[in-house]
Amino acid sequence: MEFRLLGTVGVATETGELPLGPAKRRSLLAALLLRPNTAVPLDQLIDALWPEGPPARARTVTQGHVSRLRALLAQGGADEWGVRLVTRGDAYVLEMPESLLDAHRFDELVRLAHEQRSPDDAAALLREALSLWRGPALVGVATGGPLRVAADGLEQARISAVEQLARTYSEFGDHARAAALLHAEAVAHPMRESLAAALMRSLYRAGRQSDAIDQYHRTRTLLADELGVDPGPALREAYAEILAGDGPGAPPAKPGPPTAPEAPAPQPVRATAPDGPDLLPRPPRGFVGRDRELAALDAASGPEHAVTVLTGPAGVGKTAAALHWAHTVRDRYDGVLFADLRGFSDDDGSGDSAPETADVLREFLIALGVPARDLPETPGALAAAYRTRTERHRHLVVLDNARTAAQVRPLLPAGPGSAAVVTSRLRLDGLAVSELARTVALGVLDPAGSAALLAAATGAAGRLAAEPEAAARLTELCAGLPLALRVVAARVNARPEWPLSGLADELADEQRRLALLDVDDTGVAAALRLTLRTLPEDARLLFHRLGVLPGPDLDRYAAAALTGRSQEAAAALDRLAGAHLITEPTPGRYLMHDLVRLYARGLARADDTEATDEALVRLLDHYVRTALLAASVTEPDDRPCCVLPADIRPDLGRPALTDRAAGLAWYAVERENLVAAAVAAHAAGHDDRAWRLAVLQWPYVVGYVRDDWVPLMEQGLAAAQRLDDPDAESRVRALYGWVLTEEGRLTQAIEQLERAPELAARAGDTSSEATALVNLAVALDRDGGPSTASLAHVVRAAELARATDDILTELLALEHRSRQLLATGDHAAVLDCTERGLTLPGASAEGLAPLRQILLRIARGAALHALGREAEALDCLREAHDEAVKRGFEDGIRKAKAQLERIGSETATER
């Protein structure tokens, strides 16, 4: 796992980049990574996310992003790398080994370079440090405020490392290399005088005195024009040294090959023989980025008879990437062949259907010099002639828009050193088997690449720069899809008088977005429709049902619930992933690109309403059933907080959750899906599912109580009230009130909790009544300290729990009662209370029960100390501390340690 700040903010895992989503979530991650292993207050995170000023629900939105980020990290295997995003009061800490952060490794390498005696060793370390940069720092985050300041600081550190590397080159006399390195930075930072001075010295020592003097005058003029100042001491000293011809360090280098860093990179020159075929279309216009994928194409085309499949979703720019790469390497081959196989064309009688393989072979043979009259008749003979014509030469063959491996195989060149690049929306795994083809996946563009493509396609950099926020919204709404960005660029160019903000507002309407992203016969919806047509019925059905999916992602069990076909779900998911209609960012988890999701929703709206509603109910029931299982393995001592709905749909499969860790991991991964499912259930009138989806998350709510659970609780309460179900309402109010208590909103908490016990009693649920009484007592005590009423509530709760043999709720009541008794100074009663809790039979080795017993031990230790029984108190507290450490119970560790330190301090004072 690698965390990245030096370029686009992201998290790389063994299975690929984590899909972080919107800029606000990247901004949150960046703010935490800039201070790893340090508590970052929520208010500071809000400032980072909204430098222009936070909206009304900034805290809620930020907490939601924290929750989703925690789930994404869990999906990426964060636990295996020692990475945890934890809550500390009103702050968050990203606990992690700092070696996983590229910015930390950069600093370490630069520091090590400073310590080297050998210039060669120092240069190697600095080059390694600078290789960690993949563009400007903190790309994809909020463009102002604290993150902008941090990005500027990182950039200054990078430039300092570049200057240090240039000095190191000069130490062993490679002044030309130092000059080339510094020139690129001086162009990017023309008013940084230290860069200009270092470049002048390197140019002079490389034998380019006139260039060094010209650099001085250009910088001096720029400083005067832009800032109205004269050159500083560093620049003047370098100029004086050059004029005097006696600057420190090595003398001018011996004449060698001249370097011209200011010259543009040379364009590839075609070296193809005059009679060699060249069917390559013109290079794509406005092509940007894709350095990683182009490098992968280079690497994959090395072996003899190399076949590479460039694959990706519709509209992602596969053809453009293949053509751009082919134009850059065409001089390596004796000839270049190209064919559009139109595997995803709309066969509507217009003549644009996929060509026959024999027709492509005829076209290739004619290009290879075979007269038309000599062409064989049969497909087999054509293929044999093609193999003969290509077996003695190096050819590059580009086969665009392929649909099947069978289309491709006869068109592959036979000559050693030849290469073929195949583009397809499908993975074409058959080519990997038969031809040992390598796959290069092309994904959507990152925010920087999207902005660059929009600027290149519009040719209106000034217009985009004049409305940076609107331009950023346009690129965000296109979600990195090049086809969408090009369509938006066409609309921008067609409406020169429109403000970009107006176009962005139009595009923000989800109901119209896909329609706006169509121009003539080109558009996102058309491309997706053609992709979907190529798939079998089970995959098409699942795609239609994905329009019902309320959450961001799903697994094969959710897919089975949506379609009602458990046996076909995994295969259908694989087919959709193979066609890039969904992606698999982590093993077994699938999600859709934003524009693909809009298309699926449109299909679902057009489908039979009864069928889509039934699909939603099956999905809701899958979540309810699995959440009930997760609660049972996470808290085995607790009673189920609800029963299954009377009309629950059949079980079509669910994950095997066998222990507490598995249960909590499922909650973390599914958090956003469960919240979205509860909202969708209530909106569709399935309130019996909506309230269950709220309360069934209680084990995870307990662990992360400050992660913005209030909207979910409000949803669950509305559903319970609409059902007029006292049992449901009491359970939701009890949990809702506890969340509000932990958030410090005590008036609202008490308002919810005062009604919960009576509702539970009316429903006849004793355990639920006991829980509600404890939660009410906690809120009352925090609002004004222990009172007669709150003490009575806890005593009553313990009695009710004991009568129903509800161990977990009785422990909860005893734990709180021990705190009340400590506060009132009744230490003997604390011993009686804790003795009961610590000897309760049947408490599980997992879950909340042992954690509550740790807190009881801490209370007992405090009471023993107050009674003067020091040795017993220390033994009790040490046992609690050790048990808390063993279980990773942070609250228990902190409280036990505080009591032990208090006793130690008092003992030292007495001495």
Side-chain angles (χ1 to χ4, degrees), residues 120-140:
D120 283 337
D121 293 341
L125 289 166
L126 288 167
R127 283 194 297 268
E128 184 179 351
L130 291 167
S131 72
L132 296 172
W133 287 74
R134 302 171 315 285
L138 304 188
V139 171

Side-chain angles (χ1 to χ4, degrees), residues 298-449:
D298 264 335
S301 64
E304 291 188 356
H305 312 291
V307 180
T308 307
V309 178
L310 184 62
T311 184
V316 82
K318 300 179 293 296
T319 301
L323 289 177
H324 178 85
W325 178 81
H327 276 278
T328 64
V329 302
R330 62 196 300 178
D331 58 313
R332 303 178 191 172
Y333 299 95
D334 300 323
V336 185
L337 301 171
F338 174 89
D340 181 0
L341 302 182
R342 296 194 290 277
F344 300 88
S345 297
D346 196 353
D347 188 5
D348 56 0
S350 62
D352 288 334
S353 58
E356 295 290 336
T357 301
D359 293 335
V360 178
L361 286 169
R362 290 187 186 95
E363 183 179 346
F364 280 5
L365 286 168
I366 289 172
L368 289 164
V370 178
R373 64 178 179 276
D374 295 338
L375 290 174
E377 292 293 330
T378 66
L382 286 166
Y386 175 65
R387 287 194 298 273
T388 301
R389 280 281 173 166
T390 58
E391 65 185 0
R392 296 181 181 275
H393 299 279
R394 289 167 47 87
H395 290 96
L396 172 63
V397 178
V398 180
L399 302 172
D400 190 33
N401 208 10
R403 180 171 167 181
T404 66
Q407 272 185 304
V408 170
R409 289 190 185 96
L411 304 175
L412 299 176
S418 293
V421 173
V422 184
T423 76
S424 181
R425 299 177 193 181
L426 306 178
R427 288 194 302 251
L428 302 185
D429 293 337
L431 290 179
V433 175
S434 64
E435 308 297 333
L436 300 182
R438 301 185 186 181
T439 299
V440 174
L442 202 64
V444 296
L445 293 168
D446 61 21

Side-chain angles (χ1 to χ4, degrees), residues 119 123 163-179 182 198 201-203 205-206 248-251:
E163 292 175 333
Q164 183 182 345
L165 179 57
R167 288 194 298 272
T168 306
Y169 286 153
S170 293
E171 285 181 35
F172 46 74
D174 197 346
H175 304 300
R177 193 174 185 183
L182 291 166
R201 288 190 172 98
S202 295
L203 289 169
R205 293 168 187 162

Side-chain angles (χ1 to χ4, degrees), residues 284-290 315-318 320-321 442-461 464 471 474-475 478-490 492-493:
R285 292 173 180 154
F287 185 83
V288 298
R290 303 301 196 187
V316 82
K318 300 179 293 296
L442 202 64
V444 296
L445 293 168
D446 61 21
S450 297
L453 177 55
L454 187 62
T458 59
L464 297 175
L474 286 173
T475 58
C478 292
L481 191 68
L483 175 58
L485 288 162
R486 288 180 180 274
V487 173
V488 166
V492 169
N493 292 335

